[in-house]
Every structure is written in C-alpha cells, then in structure tokens.
Amino acid sequence: MSLHYEVVLTCVLQDDTPDAVLAALRWHLGLAPERPAELDAEEHSYPMLSPDPDSRLPGGDFASLRRQSRGFTAAGDERHAWGLFSRNLWLDDMMGDLYTVMDLLSPHIAEPGYCGHFREEFDAEPTSLTFREDAFGPLKL
C-alpha cells in the first residue's frame, strides 16, 4: 500500500526567469498542453505539479504561476516577480521527483527561505522546504 503526501510549493521567482524555465513550469503545472522541447523527457517524464481534478486533498489540488507586482524601486519603478503556488497529492514513489522540481526552481529564486512543505497526508507536522542562494535545503525524504 502506498503512502500519499501533500506537496506544497510557494515561492517567488525572479522577474528575469528565462522563458524556457517558465514554459517548463507552465507544463508541469498543467497550464500548457505540450512538454517544451528543451526538457529532458526522461527527467521530466510527466507534469509533476498538475492538479488532479479528483484529488482527495481537502479543497483539492491547485496550481498558479503569475507575474506579480513586488513594490517599487528607489527610483519609483514598479518591481515584478513570478509567484508560484502549487498544492498536490503525490504517491510516495513520486517523492524523488521533488529534486527535479527544486533543481528547476532554485537558480531563479528571488527570495531565499521557506518555499513550501510536504507531509504524509495523515501527519500533523510537515517537513519544510527551503531555498538558499542558487540551491535548496537538504531534503529528508
């Protein structure tokens, strides 16, 4: 019998995140129908963050990627960044794929620190996910 995990990603990506990375994220989130040609089909074999319409998580799965205002510069110019939020139910044999997602995101993080969590669906305590500069915190899967 498999365990199920709630996987939540919530982070801010730099405004200059490359189009190829944004295209990959859109595909992983189920917001684009085709895997981008630049993605390795073996490493990115399925849309990892795509919401399951039949998810048994309370409130269901969710995916969002949008360009957001992040305030203003000292010169008065508006700053922007990409806000990512995803919540999915993953089987335990999918949890290793979290490395693939974190590797895709980590070079483009605008704000190091907390970026989400995962927890076995009946656990009360989640395991936090964190980003450092160009890397992510150790994962204890």
Side-chain angles (χ1 to χ4, degrees):
M1 185 167 179
S2 296
L3 296 175
H4 292 81
Y5 289 83
E6 175 191 43
V7 177
V8 175
L9 293 174
T10 178
C11 59
V12 178
L13 304 173
Q14 299 162 354
D15 194 32
D16 64 352
T17 298
D19 289 340
V21 172
L22 295 172
L25 283 172
R26 286 185 185 101
W27 177 73
H28 276 299
L29 292 163
L31 303 173
E34 300 291 324
R35 177 182 25 253
E38 308 84 40
L39 281 183
D40 180 313
E42 193 170 310
E43 185 178 14
H44 299 267
S45 58
Y46 65 96
M48 297 174 198
L49 305 174
S50 180
D52 177 354
D54 296 321
S55 175
R56 65 188 196 196
L57 282 173
D61 288 6
F62 188 81
S64 175
L65 176 67
R66 66 186 186 97
R67 190 166 183 254
Q68 300 174 251
S69 175
R70 301 296 293 172
F72 295 88
T73 67
D77 298 322
E78 190 171 17
R79 293 181 17 235
H80 291 89
W82 290 94
L84 169 71
F85 182 83
S86 120
R87 177 180 183 241
N88 303 89
L89 189 66
W90 287 20
L91 289 172
D92 54 1
D93 61 351
M94 297 167 57
M95 290 302 289
D97 292 335
L98 196 49
Y99 285 97
T100 301
V101 173
M102 299 292 279
D103 279 338
L104 181 67
L105 297 174
S106 64
H108 311 290
I109 292 299
E111 298 174 2
Y114 175 82
C115 68
H117 66 266
F118 64 91
R119 67 176 182 86
E120 198 275 321
E121 71 178 320
F122 298 113
D123 283 352
E125 296 295 322
T127 299
S128 291
L129 299 168
T130 58
F131 282 115
R132 301 183 313 260
E133 290 186 32
D134 296 334
F136 52 91
L139 296 181
K140 297 176 184 168
L141 302 178

